[in-house]
Amino acid sequence: MTRASSGRKDSALSAITWWVGWIAVTIVSFFVSCWFWTGHLARHYGTMDKPGAPLVWVVAVFGTWMILLVPLIVIMYAKVDKAYEDARIGREGDAYEKVRRAMGVRCLDIPQRSRVLAEPLRRKLKQWPETVRKGHLVHLILRDGRRVEHAFVLERREVLGVYDLSDRTFDPSAITDIEPIPQDRIPDFNSARWVRLDGVGLPFEDEKPAV
């Protein structure tokens, strides 16, 4: 059993326990109201044979019960709202995980500020035609002289992914220059060989990403 499924099971058990407890407290509060007003009216108003006594008893008992229920209803509303929110977050998390694995793309989680190209490089990209709409495929030159081939730059600004990246410690902030890739030298791409740098996809450490 995964940690997420175990957590949801514990949450469901807690919700059931809370519902049972809330119902029990609701019932008990009614009988407490009955017990209090029955004795109090018998001492100060008279028995149920007295005219108007049953109506006074009903109003007193149910009025007190409703007052006692107000904080219980508020607490229950908060609990139900939290349960729905937790369920929504769980569904969204499961959906995101399915999409992430269906993509079949590995990823590194590098902050966006580290992936933004320096202004001179952005100006250089403006002079080159787009490889695809809103994107350029380029080679990167790093500060230490290394060359990273087939990097995808989104909107002439952000390094979003690299094809066939082998260096798990790749640092986009070390980019000092870029080189264009002619259209006739763009390789055939396989999604499983892409590495996204924005954290969307399977962890880079996965040896067999989904395809």
Side-chain angles (χ1 to χ4, degrees), residues 108-125:
L108 290 173
D109 192 2
I110 300 176
Q112 186 181 35
R113 63 179 180 275
S114 299
R115 295 186 279 108
V116 174
L117 293 174
E119 181 61 31
L121 300 181
R122 298 206 294 268
R123 288 198 300 266
K124 181 182 284 190
L125 270 178

Side-chain angles (χ1 to χ4, degrees), residues 13-31:
L13 182 60
S14 175
I16 292 173
T17 302
W18 167 253
W19 274 103
V20 172
W22 187 86
I23 292 172
V25 171
T26 301
I27 295 173
V28 168
S29 65
F30 175 76
F31 284 106

Side-chain angles (χ1 to χ4, degrees), residues 52-93:
L55 179 60
V56 173
W57 183 89
V58 169
V59 172
V61 168
F62 281 91
T64 302
W65 189 42
M66 289 298 102
I67 293 174
L68 293 176
L69 283 183
V70 169
L72 291 176
I73 292 173
V74 172
I75 295 173
M76 174 54 69
Y77 177 81
K79 286 284 186 179
V80 170
D81 186 65
K82 184 178 184 302
Y84 276 114
E85 183 66 13
D86 291 343
R88 181 188 65 80
I89 293 173
R91 288 194 302 270
E92 290 180 354

Side-chain angles (χ1 to χ4, degrees), residues 107-111 114-117 138-144 146-153 158-178 194-198 204-205:
C107 72
L108 290 173
D109 192 2
I110 300 176
S114 299
R115 295 186 279 108
V116 174
L117 293 174
V138 299
H139 298 319
L140 308 175
I141 308 301
L142 305 185
R143 189 177 298 115
D144 58 6
R146 285 183 298 157
R147 176 187 174 96
V148 177
E149 297 188 341
H150 305 121
F152 181 76
V153 179
E158 173 187 351
V159 182
L160 187 61
V162 178
Y163 192 66
D164 270 345
L165 179 68
S166 59
D167 185 2
R168 287 173 169 79
T169 62
F170 170 62
D171 182 10
S173 65
I175 299 170
T176 58
D177 199 5
I178 55 177
W194 268 105
V195 176
R196 290 187 60 146
L197 306 181
D198 59 354
F204 193 71
E205 290 72 17

Side-chain angles (χ1 to χ4, degrees), residues 36-61:
F36 173 80
W37 283 110
T38 299
H40 183 78
L41 291 176
R43 288 190 301 271
H44 300 283
Y45 190 84
T47 65
M48 289 294 107
D49 296 334
K50 186 176 181 180
L55 179 60
V56 173
W57 183 89
V58 169
V59 172
V61 168

